[in-house]
Amino acid sequence: MSKGIGASLLLLLVMTGFGGAAAQSPSNQPRASGMEADVARVKEAMLGNWESIAPEVRPSKNPDGSLKPFYLKRAFKYLPSDRFELDIVNSADPYGAVPLARIKIGGHMLWQGAHPIVPGAQKVDFIADEIYEVTPLAQGFADILNKVASAGYAPWVVNSPQSVFGKAFVPFGLKEGTNFMEYDLVYLRGICCSGAPAISTAAALIRSRTAPPICRSR
């Protein structure tokens, strides 16, 4: 599950007006200044709420190393001062009909410069230095947590969140006294608007490497 949770932070943001962003050369001052301007525009465009418009699938691993699907829906919020909040609902099925757990993460984004994968992409570290919370949504998942993550926690109960921030949490590979951090990228290109009545949005789409779009909420 931890692989899928980490991968859910990998966002390729699809927005208006940034398709011409170019890779920046550290040896060229005008280009470096241009990169700073691009990052500032990305940050401005990102402000707000973003939601999955369909269940997504992520790769994760079984204990024996074999691959298994990790189904989820995301609600991502980019806030001023490079703060973010991410709410993930993990499901047992590809349609999101059987939710297992809700994971809430919050913290800061550190912008680390141009990413070589594509011109205009930016390297970003997502650091959960404010909140990391887990809520079991199914009795079976609560039972598992009570077996493998009981030390230092109250009994796990369906729909009752518990903070795992700064604590050891074996199911997700978290170590005591450390903040979860994901090394990812942000990429902006083009625009796609949708009427999407099911979630009442006018949309600019966010895409990841392997997932359907996320939709910006109005």
Side-chain angles (χ1 to χ4, degrees):
M1 182 175 292
S2 60
K3 295 291 185 179
I5 293 168
S8 71
L9 291 170
L10 180 61
L11 306 178
L12 302 182
L13 306 185
V14 183
M15 302 275 194
T16 265
F18 299 97
Q24 305 301 321
S25 170
S27 63
N28 188 306
Q29 186 61 42
R31 287 183 175 271
S33 298
M35 181 178 67
E36 293 174 1
D38 286 344
V39 171
R41 291 196 298 172
V42 170
K43 291 181 179 183
E44 181 179 1
M46 282 178 62
L47 288 171
N49 301 327
W50 304 80
E51 299 175 0
S52 302
I53 61 174
E56 307 174 39
V57 60
R58 300 285 180 175
S60 61
K61 288 185 177 182
N62 292 302
D64 62 3
S66 61
L67 293 177
K68 67 176 180 179
F70 180 86
Y71 302 111
L72 72 152
K73 294 188 74 173
R74 295 177 287 168
F76 178 84
K77 182 183 293 185
Y78 181 62
L79 303 166
S81 301
D82 288 325
R83 292 183 59 250
F84 79 93
E85 295 176 1
L86 176 65
D87 192 273
I88 302 166
V89 175
N90 170 224
S91 300
D93 68 299
Y95 304 104
V98 186
L100 297 176
R102 173 175 285 110
I103 301 102
K104 185 175 182 179
I105 300 172
H108 291 84
M109 296 166 60
L110 298 180
W111 298 78
Q112 304 287 9
H115 195 291
I117 193 170
V118 65
Q122 299 293 327
K123 293 181 287 186
V124 180
D125 297 341
F126 292 82
I127 305 174
D129 56 3
E130 292 185 351
I131 185 173
Y132 200 137
E133 189 176 271
V134 177
T135 305
L137 302 179
Q139 187 59 52
F141 186 65
D143 292 342
I144 292 174
L145 292 182
N146 282 320
K147 292 179 180 179
V148 302
S150 59
Y153 297 98
W156 292 93
V157 178
V158 173
N159 293 323
S160 295
Q162 290 200 59
S163 174
V164 301
F165 180 73
K167 301 178 181 180
F169 191 65
V170 174
F172 295 171
L174 301 179
K175 297 181 179 180
E176 185 174 358
T178 61
N179 294 326
F180 172 83
M181 182 166 65
E182 182 74 9
Y183 307 97
D184 287 314
L185 64 86
V186 171
Y187 175 56
L188 290 80
R189 179 172 177 173
I191 186 170
C192 181
C193 292
S194 171
I199 53 175
S200 300
T201 58
L205 300 181
I206 303 176
R207 290 188 181 274
S208 70
R209 285 178 178 170
T210 59
I214 300 179
C215 206
R216 185 171 189 172
S217 299
R218 290 296 193 189

